[in-house]
Amino acid sequence: MKHLLKLLDLSTEEIISILDLADQLKYELKHGIPHPLLKGKSLGMIFQKSSTRTRVSFETGIFQLGGQGLFLSSRDLQIGRGEPVQDTARVLSRYLDGIMIRTFEQKEVEDLAQYGSIPVINGLTDFCHPCQVLADLMTIREKYGVLEGLKLCYIGDGDNMANSLIVGGLKTGMKVAVATPAGYKPDASVLSFAEGYKDFVLTENPEEAAADADVVITDTWASMGVEDEKEARKKAFAGYQVNDALMKFAKADAMVQHCLPAYRGQEITEEVFEAHADEIFEEAENRLHAQKAVMVQLMQ
Ligand code: CP
Ligand code: NVA
């Protein structure tokens, strides 16, 4: 593995080995065992969109590994004034040991990897959110001990989270059921990947997707970049809320995951969110451990 651009590029074994290392690094952190595996290394963190979790977990994570993180806002970088990504990639490769980037177009991340000579980590694009889904898989495996055979259901927008959950879930042997309204389906490339799996269901019916699910996942109805569609989306997604009535279709002890930020009263009710808050904040914590594992595997 040279980069983490999207989960479609990773084998099942590569995903599992990240999860195993993440578990180990979490254990070591909790037990005060130092792990300076990236001593003296620098990670550049380019942000073209807002972030709480990704920024803080990457910056703290590289520090815990003995390295340093550089927060690079596109408002300050020349990239924000039109310097081509090809040139940015070649320059940053001469200073840094790795780049994390959060941006709009997936192509920008792929270009950074193509023109640079250091590992590139996708910290979210419009297309996918691989770091988040690695943390989700880690959290689900912590609860159930396995991933294979579990049913993951995703309700809501066919966005970056839906795309990565479908790929990550199927590659690790989970059954994946997705309910989105017509017009908000996951990306065509992801659907064509999923077609090869008999345990994949795409429906417009949330109850069908939630039936007997072990894990129920949702995400905002209006991702970063489409905020101006907020009102239209509220109407389109009205029947796609994770609430107590929908949870009755899932298994009695089903867990709930949400990448956050959560919009209570929209994609999830206050009741369901608070009933599953421990699982949701464990998921947020696991961003730190999963990303440390990714950095070690790519940058060591
Ligand atoms: N879940 C997630 O990526 O959060 P941030 O946008 O705060 O980084
Ligand atoms: N789908 C959301 C995820 C935020 C972490 C977005 O792209 O805004």
Side-chain angles (χ1 to χ4, degrees):
M1 190 170 83
K2 278 164 72 179
H3 305 282
L4 176 59
L5 307 180
K6 53 187 182 301
L7 293 180
L8 279 169
D9 300 335
L10 269 54
S11 66
T12 301
E13 293 68 34
E14 284 171 327
I15 295 174
I16 298 297
S17 94
I18 292 168
L19 302 184
D20 290 345
L21 180 56
D23 286 348
Q24 185 193 322
L25 292 170
K26 183 172 184 176
Y27 177 89
E28 290 180 4
L29 187 70
K30 301 274 173 194
H31 290 81
I33 303 167
H35 40 264
L37 300 168
L38 297 180
K39 194 168 184 303
K41 306 239 170 166
S42 297
L43 176 80
M45 309 184 302
I46 303 176
F47 282 92
Q48 311 241 30
K49 288 175 174 171
S50 305
S51 169
T52 297
R53 282 143 288 271
T54 305
R55 178 185 173 176
V56 178
S57 55
F58 265 106
E59 193 161 338
T60 319
I62 184 78
F63 176 75
Q64 291 172 1
L65 290 165
Q68 66 163 348
L70 286 84
F71 174 68
L72 306 169
S73 161
S74 58
R75 273 194 292 273
D76 306 323
L77 289 176
Q78 296 287 11
I79 212 171
R81 294 178 57 246
E83 183 169 16
V85 69
Q86 293 88 329
D87 296 358
T88 306
R90 286 177 286 187
V91 171
L92 292 182
S93 293
R94 290 175 182 251
Y95 305 136
L96 300 168
D97 302 289
I99 302 175
M100 193 258 18
I101 177 167
R102 165 169 287 198
T103 189
F104 295 86
E105 282 183 38
Q106 179 70 15
K107 185 174 182 306
E108 193 175 346
V109 179
E110 308 265 350
D111 283 351
L112 205 52
Q114 187 187 334
Y115 290 96
S117 53
I118 56 175
V120 173
I121 301 170
N122 182 340
L124 180 147
T125 58
D126 294 343
F127 173 62
C128 65
H129 199 359
C131 291
Q132 179 68 53
V133 169
L134 289 170
D136 294 11
L137 295 173
M138 177 182 178
T139 316
I140 297 165
R141 201 174 71 156
E142 277 179 338
K143 170 165 168 142
Y144 293 107
V146 290
L147 292 171
E148 206 167 347
L150 296 177
K151 178 174 174 182
L152 180 159
C153 106
Y154 175 87
I155 309 289
D157 189 15
D159 62 6
N160 41 17
M161 278 303 298
N163 290 333
S164 288
L165 283 165
I166 291 169
V167 177
L170 291 174
K171 284 200 175 198
T172 54
M174 299 174 89
K175 299 170 189 150
V176 178
V178 173
T180 64
Y184 295 94
K185 290 202 173 87
D187 191 85
S189 65
V190 169
L191 294 181
S192 93
F193 160 83
E195 260 174 24
Y197 289 80
K198 66 173 175 20
D199 286 328
F200 176 71
V201 173
L202 177 65
T203 172
E204 288 176 26
N205 181 346
E207 294 167 3
E208 182 193 342
D212 283 325
D214 298 284
V215 191
V216 178
I217 309 187
T218 187
D219 185 18
T220 179
W221 290 341
S223 286
M224 290 179 277
V226 296
E227 289 93 342
D228 56 339
E229 297 174 17
K230 223 172 228 169
E231 290 313 312
R233 282 170 171 262
K234 270 188 199 161
K235 291 196 189 90
F237 288 102
Y240 292 79
Q241 184 184 63
V242 174
N243 51 33
D244 285 329
L246 186 72
M247 289 302 294
K248 290 208 167 59
F249 289 86
K251 290 213 177 113
D253 67 341
M255 75 191 292
V256 172
Q257 296 279 268
H258 193 309
C259 66
L260 305 173
Y263 298 85
R264 293 160 174 82
Q266 295 187 36
E267 77 273 7
I268 192 165
T269 57
E270 175 81 20
E271 293 72 27
V272 173
F273 185 91
E274 289 304 333
H276 294 273
D278 287 349
E279 293 161 356
I280 292 170
F281 291 108
E282 196 68 28
E283 172 190 15
E285 178 188 320
N286 284 341
R287 293 290 304 277
L288 172 71
H289 311 299
Q291 289 158 194
K292 282 168 73 179
V294 170
M295 289 189 279
V296 169
Q297 295 210 342
L298 293 177
M299 292 166 61
Q300 205 177 22

